[in-house]
Amino acid sequence: MGEKREVAAAAEEQAAVATVAKPSCYSLVFKLPAGGGNHMASREDREPAEEELFVPPLNFAMVDCGLYRSGFPDTANFSFLKTLSLRSVLCLCPEPYPKANLEFLEENGIRLFQFGIDGRKEPFVNIPEDTITEALKVVLDVRNHPLLIHCKRGKHRTGCLVGCLRKLQHWCLTSIFDEYQRFAAAKTRVTDLRFIERFDTASLRYLSASFSS
């Protein structure tokens, strides 16, 4: 009797192991499309959906809380820009804003401010101080934030505007120039640095008080 019980127990143990080790057939079944009937699932149904890519614009960076800078956004950057929950975009290029960009702004309730500044190379470049002043008024108004500042490459015109903002934030010139040169690199323009150094912030100081530095 004892031997029969041991044999029976061993058989039960082997059956249990076999049950656990047996792979589940459900792991091999793909969900069929609606009304799929007896057809095999398509390749698209069996493969996981492609992940959405978030590509920032050229030279994208955070300037301050709710304030960003970059080069000209392309359609490939729209998904990334959505993550910023932008309220405004400030463009420093004089050319008409592209239709695709205008549609993106409209669809997402983003306001466009455009201050056209000629982006030609030295020595013909002329930075209009009054235009920079008006653009800074938009930047300093926190009701426009989150806000993205951009020009074509996010280097010179954007660098000048951000540099003048830094003066209002009481940055020393060395730090302002270092930030400018991080984006402009080998294409640093001496005229831009001189413009930032000479820019008069007196008329904007009353606005900068409400802006977090």
Side-chain angles (χ1 to χ4, degrees), residues 16 23 32 38 68 82 110 121 169 193:
L32 292 172
N38 295 322
Y68 309 93
K82 281 185 179 181
I110 301 172
K121 297 181 180 180
Q169 294 180 310
L193 301 180

Side-chain angles (χ1 to χ4, degrees), residues 27 35 38 50 54 69 72 94 120 123 129 146 180 204 206 211:
S27 64
N38 295 322
E50 183 178 353
F54 298 99
R69 63 179 290 170
F72 213 110
R120 291 178 296 175
E129 184 171 343
Y180 172 95
L204 293 166
Y206 74 98
F211 184 77

Side-chain angles (χ1 to χ4, degrees), residues 41 67 113 115:
L67 186 61
F113 295 92
F115 297 91

Side-chain angles (χ1 to χ4, degrees), residues 163-179:
C164 293
L165 172 65
R166 297 309 192 193
K167 289 190 73 173
L168 284 164
Q169 294 180 310
H170 307 293
W171 282 32
C172 67
L173 280 176
T174 300
S175 296
I176 294 173
F177 291 169
D178 283 347
E179 182 179 38

Side-chain angles (χ1 to χ4, degrees), residues 48-78:
E50 183 178 353
E51 294 184 3
E52 187 173 11
L53 297 178
F54 298 99
V55 182
L58 177 70
N59 283 326
F60 175 83
M62 184 175 182
V63 177
D64 208 313
C65 183
L67 186 61
Y68 309 93
R69 63 179 290 170
S70 75
F72 213 110
D74 196 359
T75 53
N77 310 132
F78 291 169

Side-chain angles (χ1 to χ4, degrees), residues 27-170:
S27 64
L28 303 177
V29 176
F30 298 96
K31 184 178 180 181
L32 292 172
N38 295 322
H39 297 289
M40 290 291 291
S42 66
R43 182 185 181 94
E44 290 76 11
D45 293 316
R46 285 177 284 155
E47 293 182 347
E50 183 178 353
E51 294 184 3
E52 187 173 11
L53 297 178
F54 298 99
V55 182
L58 177 70
N59 283 326
F60 175 83
M62 184 175 182
V63 177
D64 208 313
C65 183
L67 186 61
Y68 309 93
R69 63 179 290 170
S70 75
F72 213 110
D74 196 359
T75 53
N77 310 132
F78 291 169
S79 293
F80 173 81
L81 295 182
K82 281 185 179 181
T83 67
L84 303 179
S85 300
L86 294 174
R87 188 174 293 174
S88 310
V89 166
L90 192 156
C91 175
L92 297 171
C93 300
E95 296 80 13
Y97 217 58
K99 182 180 178 181
N101 292 58
L102 287 173
E103 291 175 349
F104 170 77
L105 298 185
E106 184 177 357
E107 289 171 1
N108 293 275
I110 301 172
R111 184 177 181 183
L112 174 65
F113 295 92
Q114 189 163 10
F115 297 91
I117 299 175
D118 194 346
R120 291 178 296 175
K121 297 181 180 180
E122 295 180 286
F124 309 105
V125 67
N126 178 32
I127 306 167
E129 184 171 343
D130 57 342
T131 303
I132 291 292
T133 299
E134 291 303 310
L136 278 172
K137 290 179 181 179
V138 173
V139 173
L140 293 170
D141 189 344
V142 293
R143 293 172 297 182
N144 297 321
H145 295 187
L147 181 147
L148 172 69
I149 304 167
H150 79 80
C151 53
K152 186 176 181 181
R153 299 290 181 184
K155 295 180 179 180
H156 305 112
R157 287 167 284 189
T158 298
C160 283
L161 182 61
V162 172
C164 293
L165 172 65
R166 297 309 192 193
K167 289 190 73 173
L168 284 164
Q169 294 180 310
H170 307 293

